[in-house]
């Protein structure tokens, strides 16, 4: 019996969260799972800082807690977002708590960051505290078996005051039985047992598309008996399942009426065939036939329900699987028996024998002896097995006390079953043969979970380099990682001296750890906990000094590439290697880098660890029971009895006995060889028969599949015949359309040929017409060429005559005078143009002067605001100056205009004189009296004109009103250039 002080509570306090994004229409809930039992907080609002303020607790005893700590069983918390409208649950992230951190002393809560966080932009955290508390409740009240929800059932008249919902299973640890119903109604004891005897055609449950584990898969049957998860011994062959029949029994305290109501509520026992965490198929054994209404059969003999039950794959309707014939259906032989405790043993033996014969008849093979399991609850490590109720010796089916005790110990040393498949727990208990029961019960066992993997993790601290400290250090490296199974620190030895700009390789820096754990637990631990490598300075004169710490993130090796290799026994293994350099950060003061560490880590996965129990025994192993002993040599005779004959001497007898012993050993060796040969031949024959049965089973399976395919092919053939008829009709229609298309094509081809013929005839006619036109054009060309030649000859003759006439005309004096008159006329026109430009320049000057006046008026207006009096005085002065300037300007303008008129008049007079002189000169030339003084006078007139133009331009420029870009200045410049050009030409 478990004392109160050994009963504990694992309390997880979920306080509050932070850094959650606001989602007004959603709720937050945290679900915690430990040891197959799941608890949840109340939904709270999805705000940025939700407050859960909830404590979740699991009941456990100290022995089970120690076992969970050895196996590093985690507590997994998952956070979900709930939509109240659609009831949809969305995963946000999860947190994994280490059970080893829970202590009985109160500890402050910590903030844990969500892993696989859905809100990647937020650093979402939850404040969680974990502690151990002593359970003050009675242990009987704290344990209840897993009961199915109550169904509609009628309570007998004798139990009229009892509600069917109150008929539940409660484990009584002290008494070692399960109680069904209230204590005042429970007066009788019963034994309920379930036997799984055989299984056939299990390969039908494996679809062709399903992938089994790469290593040799293990299959087992699972069922739940009054809340106790039961599995049989695993087997590897589905075609010929070879496992020993096992019987699981529970002791019940109840009454016949309550049992009848309970079996009506729990009407079926569900049995699953499992592989790892998958359910391959299940069947339901009806329990209503055990206790019939009004029957008293259970008072005389055990009542049973047995037979071969068909296993159905999960979700057959969803997978759309074809029905399997009855002769090929996968079946399992099950027997469920219920007896009153204290029935005569002989009737029990007869019943068991009858059941075995019936099951053997359905299986058509001989069963091996049945193993016995006595179940007293999933969490009752110290409950004694059911005591025998009769003094008769146990039969072959009855378990001995030592076997039951060893089985009970096996059950207690295993962790609680985990869920596999669709809410199907898988037990890890394995039966122990009766011959080894006492030995197993007396030794200490170490259980390894079946889902754990065998890992080997090696760390190689290769070298340190890039020292940043100014002085040499004498260093060692030190680290520890309790997750690998050892809390002892690992250190390099001996100390090495490191200086600047040198790389030093570390001695004795390689270490490998072999351990077993769950892959997800390994990944979570590597992500959460880095490996801290400490750098210590060793000095003989002072104590050791911690210089710095390097953080190695072990999760990096999980993301590296996997390589495959074969293990020692030929199994497939995986290896991952990762190398890098990390800095040592100063342990004290500023976080400066001291030096770099180069390391290599390797993770090797050797696959699943089979469920086994390692026996640690204090006694040494004895020798083999069967040993060959050579015959002892008879004692030597006395000297007085020595015979003189050689055959009677001791040497001869010893040699003879030795030869006889050799012959006997040879005979024994030959007999052993023959026995081995016979055993090998029998094994080969059995293997051959086994393979024949496998092939036969596979052929049957294939025949069934081919029958289904044949039906599908028949249906397909009917569809093909219909399609063929449709194709024939379509083909005839295509033939008709093809004929029509052919006729249409021929008609179009004939029309095309007629069109081509007509086009050819038109082309020939057009070509003939073009040829006639071409001949006519050739004739016209020749005729026109002749006319062109004649015209050219006439043109040449006329040109000669014109030249002669021109020469004659140029020699006449009238022509020369006319040319001079034309030149003078041109000069006159030029002078008039210059006069007009001067007038325009004058107008432009006046316009510029008006603009200047306007500008001055604007300037005066601006200055008037600041200095009115001064501006008035300036205005009067400016006005006087303007009047004088205008008068002077007007006087200059009049004078200039008069001068220009005089110049024009003089120029006209000069031109008249020049005309007269030219006329006279022409007459003198005609008379031969012309001389050169007139040319000199002309040159002198050009010089005066040029001087006057330059003076006029300079005068205008000195006024400051004009610049070189003004029109009048540009015109003066042009005239000056023309005069210069004429002067140069005359020179």
């Amino acid at each position: 019996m478990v004392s109160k002080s050994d009963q504990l509570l694992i309390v997880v306090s979920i306080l509050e969260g932070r850094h959650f994004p606001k989602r007004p229409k959603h709720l937050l809930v945290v679900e915690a799972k430990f040891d197959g039992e799941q608890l949840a907080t109340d939904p709270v609002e999805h705000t940025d800082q939700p407050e859960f303020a909830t404590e979740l607790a699991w009941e456990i005893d100290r022995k089970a807690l120690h076992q969970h700590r050895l196996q590093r069983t985690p507590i997994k918390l998952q956070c979900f977002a709930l939509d109240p409208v659609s009831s949809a649950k969305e995963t946000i992230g999860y947190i994994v708590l280490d059970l080893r951190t829970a202590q009985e002393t109160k500890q402050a809560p910590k903030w844990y960051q969500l892993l696989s966080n859905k809100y990647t932009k937020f650093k979402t955290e939850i404040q969680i505290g974990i502690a151990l508390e002593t359970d003050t409740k009675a242990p009987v009240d704290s344990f209840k078996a897993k009961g199915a929800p109550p169904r509609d059932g009628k309570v007998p008249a004798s139990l009229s005051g009892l509600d069917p919902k109150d008929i539940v299973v409660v484990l009584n640890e002290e008494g070692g039985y399960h109680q069904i119903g209230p204590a005042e109604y429970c007066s009788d004891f019963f034994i309920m047992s379930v036997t799984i005897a055989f299984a056939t055609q299990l390969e039908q449950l494996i679809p062709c598309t399903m992938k089994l584990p790469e290593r040799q898969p293990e299959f087992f049957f699972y069922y739940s008996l009054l809340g106790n998860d039961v599995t049989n011994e695993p087997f590897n062959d589905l075609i010929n399942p070879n496992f020993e029949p096992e019987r699981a029994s529970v002791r019940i305290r109840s009454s016949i009426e309550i049992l009848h109501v309970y079996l009506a509520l729990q009407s079926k026992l569900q049995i699953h065939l499992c592989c790892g965490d998958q359910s391959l198929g299940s069947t339901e054994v009806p329990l209503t036939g055990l206790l019939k209404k009004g029957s008293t059969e259970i008072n005389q003999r055990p009542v049973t329900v047995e037979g071969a039950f068909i296993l159905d794959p999960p979700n057959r309707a969803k997978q759309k699987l074809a029905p399997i014939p009855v002769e090929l259906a996968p079946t399992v032989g099950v027997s469920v028996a219920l007896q009153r405790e204290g029935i005569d043993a002989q009737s029990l033996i007869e019943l068991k024998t009858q059941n075995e014969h019936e099951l053997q008849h359905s299986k058509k093979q001989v069963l091996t002896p049945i193993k016995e399991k006595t179940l007293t609850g999933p969490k009752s490590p110290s409950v004694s097995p059911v005591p025998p109720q009769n003094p008769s010796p146990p039969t072959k089916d009855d378990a001995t006390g030592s076997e039951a005790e060893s089985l009970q110990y096996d059950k207690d040393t295993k962790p609680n079953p985990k869920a596999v498949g669709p809410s199907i727990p898988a037990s890890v208990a394995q039966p122990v043969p009766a011959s080894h029961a006492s030995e197993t019960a007396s030794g200490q066992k170490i259980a390894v979970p079946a889902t754990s993997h065998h890992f080997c993790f090696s760390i190689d601290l290769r070298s340190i380099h890039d020292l940043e400290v100014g002085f040499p250090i004498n260093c060692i490296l030190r680290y520890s990682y309790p997750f690998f199974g050892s809390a002892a620190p690992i250190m390099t030895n001996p100390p090495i001296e490191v200086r600047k700009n040198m790389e030093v390789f570390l001695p004795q820096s390689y270490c490998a750890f072999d351990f077993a754990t769950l892959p997800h637990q390994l990944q979570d631990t590597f992500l959460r906990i880095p490996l801290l490598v400490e750098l210590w300075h060793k000095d003989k004169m002072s104590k050791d000094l911690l210089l710095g710490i390097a953080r190695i993130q072990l999760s990096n090796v999980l993301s590296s590439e996997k390589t495959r290799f074969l293990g020692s026994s030929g199994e497939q293994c995986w290896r991952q290697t990762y190398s890098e350099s990390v800095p040592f950060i100063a342990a004290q003061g500023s976080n400066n880098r001291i030096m770099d560490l180069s390391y290599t880590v390797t993770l090797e996965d050797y696959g699943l660890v089979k469920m086994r129990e390692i026996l640690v025994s204090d006694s040494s192993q004895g020798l083999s029971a069967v040993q060959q002993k050579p015959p002892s040599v008879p004692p030597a005779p006395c000297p007085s009895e020595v015979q003189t004959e050689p055959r009677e001497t001791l040497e001869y007898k010893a040699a003879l006995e030795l030869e006889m012993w050799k012959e006997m050993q040879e005979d024994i060796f030959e007999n052993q060889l023959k026995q081995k040969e016979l055993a090998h031949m029998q094994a080969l024959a059995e293997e051959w028969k086994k393979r024949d049965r496998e092939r036969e089973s596979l052929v049957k399976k294939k025949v069934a599949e081919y029958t289904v395919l044949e039906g599908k092919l028949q249906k397909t053939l009917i569809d093909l015949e219909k399609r063929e008829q449709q194709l024939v009709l379509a083909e005839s229609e295509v033939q008709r359309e093809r004929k029509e298309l052919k006729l249409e094509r021929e008609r179009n081809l004939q029309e095309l040929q007629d069109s081509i013929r007509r086009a050819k005839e038109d082309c020939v006619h057009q070509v003939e017409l073009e040829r006639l036109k071409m001949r006519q054009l050739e004739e016209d060309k020749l005729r026109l060429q002749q006319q062109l030649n004649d015209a050219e000859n006439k043109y040449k003759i006329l040109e000669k005559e014109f030249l002669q006439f021109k020469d004659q005309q140029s020699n006449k004096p009238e022509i020369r005078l006319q040319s001079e008159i034309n030149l003078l006329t041109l000069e006159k026109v030029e002078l008039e143009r210059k006069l007009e430009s001067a007038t325009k320049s004058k107008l432009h000057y006046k316009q510029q002067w008006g603009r200047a006046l306007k500008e001055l008026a604007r300037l005066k207006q601006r200055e008037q605001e600041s200095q009115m009096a001064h501006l008035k005085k300036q205005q009067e002065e400016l006005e006087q100056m303007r009047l004088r300037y205008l008068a002077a300007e007007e006087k200059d303008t009049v004078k200039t205009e008069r001068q220009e008129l005089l110049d024009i008049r003089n120029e006209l007079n000069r031109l008249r004189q020049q005309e007269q002189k030219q006329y006279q000169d022409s007459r003198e030339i005609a008379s031969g009296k012309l001389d050169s003084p007139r040319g000199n006078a002309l040159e002198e007139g050009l010089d005066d004109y040029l001087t006057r133009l330059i003076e006029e331009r300079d005068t205008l420029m000195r006024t400051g009103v004009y610049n070189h870009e003004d029109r009048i200045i540009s015109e003066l410049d042009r005239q000056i250039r023309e005069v210069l050009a004429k002067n140069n030409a005359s020179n």
Side-chain angles (χ1 to χ4, degrees):
M1 181 176 177
V2 180
S3 62
K4 290 185 179 181
S5 61
D6 289 339
Q7 202 68 24
L8 299 174
L9 288 176
I10 302 174
V11 180
V12 175
S13 302
I14 305 173
L15 302 178
E16 59 179 340
R18 63 185 180 187
H19 306 312
F20 281 82
K22 290 185 179 180
R23 297 177 70 178
K25 296 183 180 180
H26 287 74
L27 300 175
L28 278 175
V29 66
V30 177
E31 294 182 358
K33 188 174 183 181
F34 171 70
D35 195 21
E37 187 176 358
Q38 183 169 305
L39 303 175
T41 64
D42 294 331
V44 299
E45 294 183 2
H46 197 313
T47 60
D48 55 350
Q49 291 184 348
E51 293 186 2
F52 298 97
T54 304
E55 286 188 352
L56 307 178
W58 291 269
E59 298 173 350
I60 195 170
D61 58 80
R62 292 186 182 275
K63 188 175 182 180
L65 175 64
H66 179 67
Q67 190 71 21
H68 283 300
R69 283 181 168 176
L70 287 177
Q71 296 170 2
R72 298 184 176 90
T73 304
I75 301 176
K76 186 173 183 180
L77 283 75
Q78 284 188 296
C79 186
F80 298 96
L82 297 178
D83 188 354
V85 180
S86 61
S87 300
K89 188 162 66 173
E90 182 181 3
T91 303
I92 297 177
Y94 67 93
I95 296 171
V96 179
L97 301 179
D98 192 352
L99 184 59
R100 294 174 295 176
T101 60
Q103 304 295 332
E104 294 190 37
T105 59
K106 190 173 182 181
Q107 295 179 347
K110 297 181 181 179
W111 287 96
Y112 292 87
Q113 188 172 352
L114 285 181
L115 303 176
S116 299
N117 189 6
K118 173 181 169 53
Y119 308 127
T120 55
K121 297 181 180 180
F122 296 86
K123 189 179 179 182
T124 308
E125 294 177 330
I126 298 178
Q127 191 179 27
I128 300 172
I130 180 170
L132 293 176
E133 296 180 2
T134 304
D135 190 7
T136 56
K137 294 193 299 182
V140 175
D141 298 334
S142 62
F143 289 94
K144 289 188 178 181
K146 300 175 182 178
R151 303 180 184 178
D152 295 335
K154 294 183 178 180
V155 180
S158 59
L159 305 175
S160 57
L162 184 62
D163 189 357
K165 296 181 180 179
D166 296 335
I167 302 178
V168 294
V169 180
V170 179
L171 174 64
N172 190 319
E173 296 182 3
E174 185 176 359
Y177 58 83
H178 292 78
Q179 179 176 308
I180 301 179
E184 60 270 17
Y185 294 98
C186 300
S187 58
D188 300 328
F189 285 93
F190 301 87
I191 301 295
M192 187 175 185
S193 61
V194 178
T195 304
I196 297 181
F198 66 89
T200 59
Q201 309 293 344
L202 298 182
E203 71 277 0
Q204 300 291 341
L205 294 172
I206 307 295
C208 299
T209 58
M210 181 178 179
K211 292 184 179 180
L212 293 176
E214 294 183 0
R215 303 181 66 184
Q216 188 175 13
E218 290 187 347
F219 307 93
F220 57 89
F221 285 98
Y222 157 81
Y223 58 91
S224 180
L225 182 60
L226 298 185
N228 299 277
D229 299 324
V230 184
T231 61
N232 71 331
E233 183 179 357
F235 55 92
N236 304 107
D237 190 2
L238 276 184
I239 298 177
N240 295 305
N242 184 16
F243 59 89
E244 296 182 7
E246 297 184 16
R247 176 181 294 110
S249 302
V250 290
R251 189 174 179 225
I252 303 172
R253 182 181 179 183
S254 185
S255 64
I256 296 178
E257 293 81 5
I258 292 179
L259 279 180
H260 180 72
V261 176
Y262 178 77
L263 293 177
L265 297 174
Q266 309 288 339
S267 59
K268 294 178 181 179
L269 174 67
Q270 197 172 45
I271 300 176
H272 293 267
L273 174 65
C274 302
C275 175
D277 58 352
Q278 292 179 325
S279 174
L280 305 179
S282 62
T283 186
E284 293 181 345
V285 180
L287 301 179
T288 53
L290 287 176
L291 287 177
K292 298 180 181 178
K293 189 173 183 180
S295 175
T296 60
E297 183 181 2
I298 193 172
N299 296 324
Q300 287 81 26
R301 65 180 65 86
V303 291
T304 61
V305 173
E306 70 273 343
F309 298 91
I310 297 177
L311 292 164
D312 293 325
N315 301 326
R316 172 180 288 275
K318 292 183 179 180
Q319 298 180 14
K320 299 180 180 179
L321 299 176
I324 301 176
V326 178
E327 62 274 7
L328 296 179
T331 57
V332 57
V334 183
S335 173
V336 181
L338 179 66
Q339 65 175 356
R340 184 187 292 273
E341 193 174 64
I343 292 181
D344 182 67
Q346 185 62 33
S347 62
L348 181 61
I349 295 172
E350 292 176 358
L351 176 65
K352 291 179 180 178
T353 306
Q354 180 183 357
N355 293 344
E356 289 178 15
H357 284 304
E358 291 178 358
L359 293 176
Q360 287 171 1
H361 177 71
S362 61
K363 186 181 179 184
K364 298 181 181 180
Q365 66 180 21
V366 181
L367 295 176
T368 57
I370 300 176
K371 290 188 177 181
E372 185 75 22
K373 287 185 179 179
T374 302
L375 304 178
T376 59
K379 296 183 180 180
S380 54
S382 61
V383 177
S384 60
V386 180
Q389 299 295 325
N390 52 67
S392 60
T395 62
K396 66 178 181 179
D397 293 333
D398 296 331
T400 62
S402 60
E403 181 182 358
E405 183 180 356
S406 65
L407 287 171
Q408 181 62 34
Y409 189 88
D410 295 346
K411 181 73 178 177
D412 297 335
T413 54
K414 305 291 187 298
N416 289 332
K418 306 296 179 185
V420 292
S423 301
I424 302 170
S427 175
V428 295
Q430 295 183 1
V432 182
S435 60
H436 301 286
S438 60
E439 179 185 354
T440 307
S442 62
Q444 180 185 0
K445 303 182 186 68
I446 301 173
V448 180
T451 55
S452 297
H453 282 229
H454 176 198
F455 292 100
C456 179
F457 190 88
S458 61
I459 305 173
D460 185 8
L461 305 178
R462 293 190 171 181
S463 64
I464 51 179
H465 49 86
D466 297 339
L467 179 65
E468 294 290 338
V469 183
F471 55 90
I473 60 174
N474 198 30
C475 65
I476 64 169
L477 302 186
R478 180 181 182 274
Y479 65 89
S480 66
Y481 205 77
F483 178 75
F484 293 145
S486 174
I490 310 297
M491 294 182 291
T492 61
N493 191 40
I496 56 173
E497 185 178 1
V498 184
R499 299 178 181 272
K500 265 197 170 184
N501 301 324
M502 66 180 295
E503 181 177 6
V504 180
F505 291 89
L506 298 167
Q508 299 183 14
S509 60
Y510 178 82
C511 189
F513 303 90
D514 280 284
F515 58 96
T517 186
L518 301 176
H520 73 86
Q521 188 173 359
L522 175 76
Q523 182 178 4
D524 294 342
T525 305
F526 280 8
L527 285 171
R528 289 188 298 106
I529 306 175
L531 177 66
L532 303 180
V533 181
E534 300 174 351
L535 175 66
W536 288 84
H537 174 63
K538 302 282 287 186
D539 194 348
K540 296 180 180 179
M541 305 303 295
S542 62
K543 68 176 184 178
D544 297 346
L545 176 63
L546 177 61
L547 297 180
I549 298 175
R551 297 172 64 90
I552 297 177
Q553 190 64 33
L554 300 182
S555 59
N556 293 332
V557 73
L558 300 176
S559 59
S560 60
E561 183 179 0
K562 287 187 177 182
T563 57
R564 183 183 301 174
F565 69 98
L566 294 179
S568 57
S569 58
E571 72 274 9
Q572 213 173 54
C573 307
W574 297 93
R575 179 184 289 115
Q576 293 174 277
T577 303
Y578 181 78
S579 301
E580 72 165 350
S581 295
V582 294
F584 280 102
I585 304 301
Q588 296 178 357
S590 59
N591 294 329
N592 294 330
R593 186 180 69 87
I594 299 177
M595 68 173 69
D596 291 339
L597 168 66
S598 296
Y599 72 92
T600 299
V601 291
T602 303
L603 178 65
E604 296 178 352
D605 185 358
Y606 293 96
L608 288 171
V609 179
K610 290 187 177 180
M611 186 62 189
R612 63 183 184 275
E613 292 178 344
I614 303 171
L615 178 63
V616 182
S617 177
D618 296 335
S619 61
S620 59
Q621 299 292 333
L623 298 175
S624 176
V626 180
Q627 296 182 353
Q628 295 292 339
K629 295 182 180 180
S632 60
V633 180
C638 297
S640 61
E641 297 178 358
V642 175
Q643 300 294 332
T644 57
E645 293 188 9
R647 295 181 182 273
E648 298 297 329
T649 60
L650 294 176
E651 291 81 359
Y652 181 81
K653 289 182 179 181
L656 180 62
E657 191 172 355
L658 181 62
E659 291 298 327
M660 292 176 63
W661 180 80
K662 287 182 180 180
E663 290 181 1
M664 183 178 65
Q665 292 297 325
E666 290 177 359
D667 293 340
I668 291 173
F669 183 70
E670 289 179 0
N671 290 334
Q672 289 178 352
L673 286 179
K674 288 180 181 179
Q675 289 177 1
K676 288 182 179 180
E677 183 181 5
L678 182 60
H680 284 304
M681 293 300 294
Q682 289 178 353
L684 289 174
E686 289 295 331
E687 184 67 22
W688 186 260
K689 290 179 182 178
K690 178 182 176 182
R691 294 189 179 182
D692 279 344
R693 289 195 299 270
E694 291 177 358
R695 285 194 290 270
E696 184 179 357
S697 176
L698 291 175
V699 167
K700 289 181 180 178
K701 182 180 179 181
K702 292 296 181 183
V703 167
E705 293 177 357
Y706 292 155
T707 303
V708 176
L709 291 175
E710 186 178 2
K712 293 181 179 179
L713 286 174
Q714 291 292 341
K715 184 178 178 181
T716 307
L717 284 174
I718 294 172
D719 295 338
L720 287 175
E721 288 178 357
K722 293 180 180 178
R723 290 185 62 185
E724 188 176 1
Q725 293 176 359
Q726 295 175 358
L727 287 174
V728 169
L729 295 175
E731 188 175 358
S732 62
E733 183 68 21
V734 167
Q735 290 292 341
R736 183 182 61 79
E737 292 180 355
R738 185 177 294 175
K739 289 180 181 178
E740 293 179 357
L741 288 174
K742 187 176 181 181
L743 293 174
E744 182 71 20
R745 179 174 174 274
E746 291 177 353
R747 185 168 62 253
N748 292 336
L749 184 61
Q750 185 65 34
E751 292 178 356
L752 184 61
Q753 289 177 354
D754 294 341
S755 301
I756 291 172
R757 181 177 52 77
R758 288 194 297 269
K760 284 183 178 179
E761 292 176 355
D762 293 340
C763 288
V764 170
H765 182 66
Q766 290 290 337
V767 168
E768 290 296 329
L769 291 176
E770 292 295 330
R771 285 177 180 172
L772 292 175
K773 288 181 180 180
M774 193 171 181
R775 290 196 200 98
Q776 186 68 29
L777 290 174
E778 288 289 338
E779 293 176 356
D780 293 342
K781 179 184 175 183
L782 293 174
R783 181 170 54 79
L784 292 173
Q785 188 70 32
Q786 184 64 33
Q787 291 178 359
L788 181 60
N789 293 333
D790 295 341
E792 286 180 354
N793 292 332
K794 290 180 179 180
Y795 174 73
K796 289 178 181 179
I797 295 170
L798 289 174
E799 189 174 4
K800 287 180 181 179
E801 292 178 355
F802 176 73
L803 289 174
Q804 291 176 1
F805 176 76
K806 190 175 181 181
D807 292 338
Q808 291 175 4
Q809 290 294 326
S810 61
N811 293 329
K812 293 181 179 181
E814 290 83 2
I815 299 303
R816 291 179 62 189
L817 291 173
Q818 187 64 38
S819 63
E820 290 180 0
I821 290 170
N822 292 335
L823 289 174
L824 292 174
T825 305
L826 291 174
E827 290 180 359
K828 179 184 177 181
V829 171
E830 181 66 22
L831 291 173
E832 289 177 352
R833 186 183 61 79
K834 290 180 181 179
L835 178 61
E836 184 180 359
S837 64
T839 306
K840 290 181 179 179
S841 299
K842 179 182 177 181
L843 294 174
H844 178 72
Y845 172 75
K846 289 182 178 180
Q847 292 175 358
Q848 292 292 334
W849 179 249
R851 292 174 187 171
L853 292 177
K854 292 178 182 179
E855 186 68 24
L856 289 174
R858 285 194 296 270
L859 291 173
K860 183 181 71 175
Q861 186 68 27
R862 290 176 189 152
E863 292 294 331
Q864 188 177 2
E865 294 178 358
S866 60
Q867 296 177 353
M868 184 62 69
H870 182 69
L871 284 177
K872 286 182 179 180
K873 185 178 179 180
Q874 280 189 352
Q875 185 177 4
E876 292 175 358
E877 293 177 356
L878 286 173
E879 186 67 22
Q880 293 175 2
M881 290 175 66
R882 186 178 67 83
L883 292 175
R884 287 196 299 269
Y885 186 80
L886 286 176
E889 184 183 5
E890 190 68 25
K891 190 183 293 184
D892 292 339
T893 303
V894 172
K895 188 185 293 184
T896 303
E897 288 177 354
R898 287 178 181 175
Q899 185 66 36
E900 287 180 357
L901 290 174
L902 290 174
D903 292 339
I904 293 170
R905 188 179 299 167
N906 294 331
E907 186 67 22
L908 290 174
N909 293 330
R910 187 178 59 81
L911 288 175
R912 290 192 189 98
Q913 293 175 2
Q914 285 180 358
E915 288 179 0
Q916 293 176 2
K917 287 180 180 180
Q918 287 177 359
Y919 181 74
Q920 291 176 2
D921 290 340
S922 62
R923 292 180 65 184
E924 289 175 358
I925 289 170
S927 60
K929 296 181 179 179
L930 185 65
D931 50 1
S932 61
R934 180 180 174 275
N936 296 330
L938 184 61
E939 290 178 0
E940 292 175 358
L942 289 174
D943 293 336
D944 295 336
Y945 182 64
L946 178 61
T947 303
R948 186 174 58 81
L949 290 176
I950 292 172
E951 289 176 354
E952 185 177 357
R953 184 192 65 183
D954 294 338
T955 303
L956 292 175
M957 290 294 293
R958 281 193 297 269
T959 60
V961 181
Y962 299 94
N963 52 27
H964 289 284
E965 295 178 359
D966 291 333
R967 184 176 178 182
I968 186 169
I969 303 299
S970 301
E971 185 65 22
L972 291 172
D973 289 336
R974 187 185 64 79
Q975 292 178 6
I976 291 170
R977 286 194 298 271
E978 289 178 357
V979 172
L980 289 173
K982 289 181 181 180
N983 195 4
N984 293 332
S986 62
N987 292 332

